[in-house]
Amino acid sequence: MKLRPPSLLAEAILWFGVLGAPLTWAGMHVVGVGVGTAACGPFGETHSVDPNVWGLAMTIAGGIVAVVALTAAIVMWVATRTDDSAPPLGRMHLLATIGLVLGVLFIFLILMAGLGATVTPECVQS
């Protein structure tokens, strides 16, 4: 068995496939809190910040990034599928499989969070 290190491009695609969708979802929440704070404060009254427009834009952009990350995970899963589970292909195949699961999960989370934020009333305290 001869080990050869994977290329830097393959590693970058792999890690984008694993972490792209979760980091996009986290970024949506950080930006959403900022938009909600700005819209419901004095800044939002003077500058007319609409959180529904921001929420829809973040949902569309986040969904696109998550689908691209899922596609990267699929590409790496197919590229590393072999009968031999020796490193580094075995490790890459495992991480690509994790990226597949996380990609599907976070696409649905992005859609639920984004679309839910657009239909709720603005500036209402619970």
Side-chain angles (χ1 to χ4, degrees):
M1 172 173 59
K2 186 176 185 182
L3 296 178
R4 60 182 174 91
S7 69
L8 186 60
L9 179 63
E11 287 284 337
I13 292 171
L14 176 68
W15 284 109
F16 177 69
V18 173
L19 298 175
L23 291 178
T24 300
W25 177 77
M28 278 181 58
H29 282 279
V30 170
V31 173
V33 167
V35 168
T37 303
C40 296
F43 180 83
E45 294 173 5
T46 59
H47 291 78
S48 68
V49 176
D50 188 6
N52 289 335
V53 172
W54 276 87
L56 188 61
M58 286 187 304
T59 303
I60 292 169
I64 290 171
V65 172
V67 167
V68 171
L70 178 63
T71 305
I74 291 170
V75 166
M76 290 308 295
W77 186 80
V78 169
T80 58
R81 190 176 50 186
T82 62
D83 293 335
D84 185 21
S85 63
L89 289 181
R91 175 190 63 86
M92 293 176 76
H93 189 70
L94 174 67
L95 286 172
T97 305
I98 292 170
L100 290 174
V101 173
L102 289 177
V104 172
L105 175 71
F106 278 98
I107 285 172
F108 284 113
L109 286 174
I110 287 169
L111 290 176
M112 286 190 306
L115 296 178
T118 59
V119 297
T120 56
E122 302 171 10
C123 301
V124 176
Q125 301 250 340
S126 57

